[in-house]
Amino acid sequence: FNFFGYSGAHFPPLYPALAGGLALITGSLLKASDLIYVTAGALLVLPLYYLVRSTVNATAAWMTGLAVALYPALTSGVLAWGTMTEPLYLLWVGLAVWLLFLALDRTPSRTREVLLLGAALGLAYLTRTEALVLVVAMFGLLFVGRLLRGDRFLPVVGRLAAGLAAFMLIASPYLVYIRGEPAHWNLTGAAGMAFVSMTGLAEKDPSAFDRSTWELNPVSGSTELAEVGEVYIFAPSSETEPLLPALLS
């Protein structure tokens, strides 16, 4: 999408793509987003049910499925402020956790679960970029876990490489796109921005929050657009704020 003439790269594309596609059928973006909430929230029951059934028992699995099915934020939309992508994101994360359990539990280890894990994390990343942290955590846990179970080093590395390749294949269109738009990748920019903006709220200073999230829109040093009052969503001054300097300051 374009925001005041700039191609948007802050928000990942999967949820907007699904909502836009469904809107062509439903005739309404609101109905399309509600359909995503209901479908994703309902499907989340499945990986959590099978995960709990495998690790606890059938009774606990049914209780988990019922709790997820009746939780409004996963079936009818997020009730509080947010990016409104939580149900879809949690579907991919729940699927990834279940696949991680299978990849750790089954002996001998199979490449299929690792490939599917990478694909699920790729879809999660296309929904919310926070999934990048899960990629490191889950593949790291899988690496250590399989070695502790006595698997040979090279086959473990080979399966992990295949899983990471599946992740990169799914995530690559977005990675290539953001590389071409702002011309650089930044692993900590969003975290730094979140820290700066949330600090204003924590200190009961709404103006500090506003300064970090909204700013007049400069274009090539000109104040023409700024004079007509157009603004950025997420001010560039906080959008490029690295997390570590923000914490130290």
Side-chain angles (χ1 to χ4, degrees), residues 37 67-79 87:
Y37 295 148
V68 173
L70 296 178
Y71 187 49
L74 297 176
T75 55
S76 60
V78 182
L79 303 182

Side-chain angles (χ1 to χ4, degrees), residues 229-240:
E230 297 193 76
V231 295
Y232 276 122
I233 179 171
F234 298 117
S237 57
S238 63
E239 182 76 347
T240 58

Side-chain angles (χ1 to χ4, degrees), residues 6-244:
Y6 293 92
S7 296
H10 182 83
F11 298 105
L14 185 57
Y15 175 82
L18 290 176
L22 288 173
L24 297 177
I25 301 173
T26 63
S28 167
L29 281 172
L30 178 59
K31 292 180 180 179
S33 63
D34 287 343
L35 184 58
I36 294 174
Y37 295 148
V38 173
T39 303
L43 291 176
L44 179 60
V45 171
L46 296 177
L48 295 185
Y49 170 84
Y50 286 112
L51 176 64
V52 176
R53 181 167 182 167
S54 300
T55 55
V56 187
N57 55 49
T59 301
W62 279 106
M63 294 174 64
T64 300
L66 184 62
V68 173
L70 296 178
Y71 187 49
L74 297 176
T75 55
S76 60
V78 182
L79 303 182
W81 181 90
T83 59
M84 314 303 280
T85 57
E86 285 82 357
L88 184 62
Y89 176 68
L90 290 176
L91 170 61
W92 306 129
V93 172
L95 181 60
V97 171
W98 180 46
L99 290 167
L100 176 62
F101 167 76
L102 294 178
L104 285 168
D105 185 65
R106 290 184 174 176
T107 301
S109 178
R110 296 188 295 186
T111 304
R112 183 179 66 180
E113 282 82 8
V114 183
L115 286 172
L116 292 174
L117 172 61
L121 289 172
L123 291 170
Y125 177 77
L126 291 180
T127 308
R128 294 181 68 119
T129 55
E130 293 94 320
L132 197 60
V133 177
L134 297 179
V135 174
V136 177
M138 290 189 178
F139 277 104
L141 180 60
L142 182 58
F143 176 72
V144 174
R146 293 312 309 188
L147 290 181
L148 291 177
R149 299 203 66 170
D151 289 7
R152 291 183 298 170
F153 178 80
L154 288 180
V156 171
V157 171
R159 285 190 290 270
L160 290 179
L164 288 171
F167 167 79
M168 292 299 298
L169 181 64
I170 299 294
S172 59
Y174 181 52
L175 293 173
V176 171
Y177 171 75
I178 59 177
R179 176 65 179 176
E181 289 298 324
H184 71 281
W185 290 314
N186 192 333
L187 292 177
T188 59
M193 177 274 298
F195 177 81
V196 171
S197 59
M198 292 303 106
T199 298
L201 294 182
E203 295 177 350
K204 299 181 179 181
D205 186 357
S207 63
F209 173 81
D210 290 340
R211 286 193 300 272
S212 66
T213 51
W214 298 94
E215 186 172 283
L216 290 177
N217 185 3
V219 178
S220 302
S222 170
T223 59
E224 180 180 351
L225 286 179
E227 290 175 354
V228 298
E230 297 193 76
V231 295
Y232 276 122
I233 179 171
F234 298 117
S237 57
S238 63
E239 182 76 347
T240 58
E241 178 74 40
L243 179 58
L244 184 57

